[in-house]
């Protein structure tokens, strides 16, 4: 589907986003694993989280929508139904990778599949460390879905992460919570910490490294989850407000987890007028309200390697800010962008060229020199929701009508994007 956008006049109003996608996936997984009834409030309405729910339905978990809650009747340890068909993770890397850790610990065989994009994304990154635990995993071409997982008996592991990835970390922790003896997962570069927070895993720091302990003692119990709003979905609206004249936006109930608010930190350092107006905590996850106002003079800053995992999903929309800010916008140490829903370095560089930006592409990033002087106002989403939304925001900031091709991918994270844009723009 093609979607057109025009320059907006201003942003004004208030938005509350549906539940954070990463926290929603984990709420579903932990509720499914726990024995008995759990309730999840403000679950994400994204296609990705629907994929996680569909996989657990196939494993015998019951889900019911009861008023504003998703009720989950979890099976408890070693009580899942063996799947009668392949488990389809759709477009969701988080579903495939987190489930691989959980499935490796089950007493039945299973097979994970995904859509065309997910079938091109690397899976040996989770399969290899899981195999070190004793998992029986076979991948297509040693790296891709379909992933066949045989029943096997696992051993605990002490593993230092080779790639800064919350998905790999969480897959290993999900396997580790099935074992009597303790596993230790060590991170040099911190990644989003929802799994260890929500499971209350003992965490220690040594010589700048984070060490997370996990064992059967940490197996989830049934609970009530209240998922804070998705800060990654909010970031598109934050940027649109900063870059539009006479604009003001309030965002209610946003996740303010420290491992996720790198986008706010970077935008503030660039000169963005963003204030956290209230902050609280719910079940260990910080959340609060944000006030965002137009900010005329933004300047690009150096992005340190350490902050990259914290803003990995926000780099496409940050690159839009980057071309309006003074100085060049440069991203390095972000090779991971090449293995997201699409090769995001390629997608950003090609679309920026269409926008008349001077582009230098690196294996691990890019340099952009703005401002935009469109050669063409037609951008490709490459089937990637965050690319689609980022260039839609650009379309609302430049003259002439902009078209985004294959815009339907937005429902992967935020099916309400267009409705929310309509609500706050004039
Ligand atoms: C996610 C982790 C990140 C992120 C993805 C969601 C998660 O991936 O890009 O959108 O929920 O754990 P990596 O951990 O592989 O970087």
């Amino acid at each position: 589907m093609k979607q057109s956008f025009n320059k907006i006049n201003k942003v004004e109003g208030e938005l509350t986003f549906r539940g954070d996608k990463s926290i929603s996936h984990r709420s579903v997984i932990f509720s499914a694993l726990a024995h008995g009834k759990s309730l999840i409030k403000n679950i994400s309405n994204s296609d990705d989280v629907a994929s996680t729910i569909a996989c657990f339905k196939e494993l015998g978990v019951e889900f019911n929508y009861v008023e504003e809650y998703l009720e989950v009747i979890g099976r408890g340890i070693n009580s899942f139904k063996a799947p009668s068909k392949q488990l389809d993770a759709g477009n969701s890397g988080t579903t495939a990778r987190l489930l691989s850790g959980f499935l490796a610990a089950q007493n039945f065989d299973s097979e994970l599949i995904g859509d065309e994009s997910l079938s091109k994304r690397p899976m040996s990154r989770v399969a290899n460390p899981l195999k070190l635990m004793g998992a029986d995993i076979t991948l297509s071409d040693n790296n891709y879905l379909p992933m066949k997982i045989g029943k096997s008996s696992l051993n605990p592991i002490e593993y230092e992460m080779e790639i800064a990835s919350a998905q790999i970390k969480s897959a290993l922790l999900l396997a580790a919570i099935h074992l009597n003896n303790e596993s230790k997962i060590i991170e040099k570069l911190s990644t989003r910490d929802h799994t260890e927070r929500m499971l209350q895993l003992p965490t220690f720091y040594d010589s700048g490294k984070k060490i997370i302990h996990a064992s059967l003692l940490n197996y989830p119990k049934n609970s009530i989850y209240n998922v804070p709003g998705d800060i990654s979905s909010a970031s598109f609206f934050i940027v649109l407000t900063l870059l539009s004249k006479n604009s003001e936006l309030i965002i209610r109930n946003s996740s303010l987890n420290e491992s996720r608010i790198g986008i706010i930190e970077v935008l503030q350092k660039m000169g963005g007028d963003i204030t956290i107006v209230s902050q609280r905590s719910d079940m260990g996850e910080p959340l609060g309200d944000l006030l965002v106002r137009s900010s005329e003079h933004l300047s690009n800053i150096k992005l340190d390697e350490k902050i990259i995992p914290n803003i990995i999903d926000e780099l496409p929309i940050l690159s839009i800010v980057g071309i309006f800010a003074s100085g060049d916008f440069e991203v390095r140490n972000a090779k991971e962008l090449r293995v997201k829903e699409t090769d995001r370095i390629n997608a950003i560089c090609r679309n920026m060229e269409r926008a008349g930006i001077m582009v230098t592409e690196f294996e691990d990033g890019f340099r952009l020199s703005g401002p935009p002087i469109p050669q063409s106002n037609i951008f490709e989403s490459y089937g990637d929701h965050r690319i689609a939304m980022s260039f839609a925001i650009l379309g609302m900031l430049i003259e002439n009508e902009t078209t985004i091709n294959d815009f339907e991918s937005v429902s992967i994270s935020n099916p309400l994007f267009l409705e929310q844009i309509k609500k706050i723009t004039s």
Side-chain angles (χ1 to χ4, degrees):
M1 155 196 140
K2 287 182 196 303
Q3 181 68 43
S4 54
F5 295 91
N6 285 295
K7 189 167 193 296
I8 60 151
N9 187 21
K10 65 172 184 172
V11 174
E12 198 174 20
E14 239 185 81
L15 286 174
T16 306
F17 289 87
R18 289 295 296 261
D20 181 81
K21 190 154 77 72
S22 291
I23 301 175
S24 295
H25 278 297
R26 286 158 175 84
S27 305
V28 170
I29 297 172
F30 302 152
S31 300
L33 266 64
H35 181 256
K37 181 159 91 179
S38 289
L39 293 172
I40 309 175
K41 191 174 176 187
N42 198 32
I43 182 99
S44 161
N45 56 347
S46 64
D47 290 356
D48 272 7
V49 171
S51 294
T52 294
I53 293 174
C55 288
F56 277 107
K57 276 189 183 160
E58 181 54 32
L59 294 161
V61 177
E62 200 186 311
F63 294 88
N64 305 300
Y65 285 92
V66 182
E67 292 163 13
E68 78 243 83
Y69 288 96
L70 174 64
E71 178 186 85
V72 187
I73 313 294
R75 305 280 299 194
I77 195 154
N78 295 333
S79 307
F80 289 87
K81 179 172 93 51
S84 56
K85 58 178 194 203
Q86 294 167 311
L87 299 169
D88 190 351
N91 189 252
S92 173
T94 307
T95 307
R97 302 213 174 95
L98 269 58
L99 258 60
S100 67
F102 151 78
L103 290 167
Q106 304 307 307
N107 50 8
F108 49 75
D109 297 344
S110 55
E111 186 170 355
L112 275 166
I113 56 166
D115 72 2
E116 203 186 323
S117 149
L118 189 58
S119 303
K120 289 188 199 131
R121 296 178 65 187
M123 293 294 155
S124 57
R125 51 177 54 205
V126 280
N128 290 345
L130 286 170
K131 281 185 195 171
L132 294 176
M133 296 179 82
D136 171 16
I137 299 185
T138 314
L139 290 170
S140 163
D141 282 337
N142 284 324
N143 201 13
Y144 302 103
L145 298 178
M147 183 190 296
K148 289 198 168 86
I149 306 170
K151 57 173 182 267
S152 61
S153 81
L154 300 184
N155 307 304
I157 193 175
E158 181 164 332
Y159 181 77
E160 182 160 325
M161 302 283 295
E162 289 169 7
I163 303 170
S165 161
Q167 294 181 348
I168 306 174
K169 168 176 70 177
S170 304
L172 297 176
L173 292 171
L174 274 162
I177 55 169
H178 289 82
L179 306 175
N180 282 314
N181 291 329
E182 199 167 64
S183 292
K184 290 180 192 163
I185 309 300
I186 303 156
E187 278 193 320
K188 282 176 284 213
L189 281 178
S190 301
T191 61
R192 62 190 68 190
D193 64 0
H194 307 299
T195 301
E196 51 270 42
R197 235 175 229 272
M198 294 170 77
L199 290 176
Q200 295 179 316
L201 303 180
T203 299
F204 305 91
Y205 291 86
D206 186 15
S207 317
K209 293 180 182 171
K210 180 174 177 182
I211 305 158
I212 308 156
H213 293 216
S215 73
L216 191 57
L217 291 176
N218 311 108
Y219 193 85
K221 297 188 178 51
N222 61 331
S223 188
I224 299 176
Y225 297 94
N226 190 2
V227 186
D230 193 311
I231 182 77
S232 298
S233 295
S235 66
F236 300 98
F237 295 82
I238 293 175
V239 167
L240 184 62
T241 309
L242 292 178
L243 295 175
S244 302
K245 291 209 164 70
N246 306 317
S247 294
E248 189 171 297
L249 177 68
I250 293 176
I251 296 171
R252 301 261 180 228
N253 282 330
S254 173
S255 166
L256 293 176
N257 178 306
E258 245 183 73
S259 63
R260 296 289 300 286
I261 54 170
I263 176 75
I264 297 177
E265 195 185 315
V266 169
L267 289 171
Q268 283 174 332
K269 281 191 185 150
M270 291 174 76
D273 186 351
I274 308 175
T275 320
I276 296 176
V277 285
S278 82
Q279 199 167 353
R280 51 202 177 275
S281 169
D282 199 327
M283 296 206 61
E285 282 286 348
L287 72 156
D289 302 340
L290 297 170
L291 170 64
V292 189
R293 292 200 184 103
S294 316
S295 303
E296 257 176 52
H297 302 291
L298 298 174
S299 327
N300 280 309
I301 58 165
K302 186 169 167 21
L303 297 174
D304 193 80
E305 183 182 1
K306 280 207 197 99
I307 200 161
I308 297 296
N310 192 312
I311 54 173
I312 194 73
D313 289 345
E314 284 68 63
L315 285 168
I317 186 61
L318 263 181
S319 70
I320 302 295
V321 189
I323 59 174
F324 289 96
S326 62
D328 291 350
F329 178 72
E330 186 170 303
V331 174
R332 299 305 299 262
N333 302 301
K335 214 169 64 197
E336 278 298 295
L337 286 180
R338 295 226 179 253
V339 291
K340 293 295 176 190
E341 285 81 332
T342 186
D343 174 346
R344 286 185 178 158
I345 294 179
N346 176 64
I348 291 169
C349 290
R350 299 298 79 77
N351 276 340
M352 287 297 183
E353 282 163 358
R354 292 179 186 116
I357 301 293
M358 294 242 304
V359 174
T360 312
E361 183 172 348
F362 307 107
E363 191 42 40
D364 66 347
F366 46 85
R367 187 188 311 122
L368 308 174
S369 312
I373 314 155
Q375 311 294 303
S376 135
N377 273 23
I378 302 174
F379 300 111
E380 301 297 329
S381 75
Y382 297 86
D384 182 320
H385 54 130
R386 299 200 199 280
I387 299 294
M389 290 186 280
S390 298
F391 286 88
I393 297 296
L394 177 60
M396 289 179 250
L397 295 166
I398 57 178
E399 301 298 335
N400 301 328
E401 187 171 276
T402 290
T403 303
I404 311 286
N405 286 329
D406 301 322
F407 193 72
E408 64 282 354
S409 59
V410 293
S411 66
I412 289 298
S413 59
N414 185 9
L416 300 178
F417 181 82
L418 289 176
E419 204 177 294
Q420 290 163 339
I421 287 289
K422 216 167 144 197
K423 183 174 170 210
I424 55 139
T425 57
S426 56

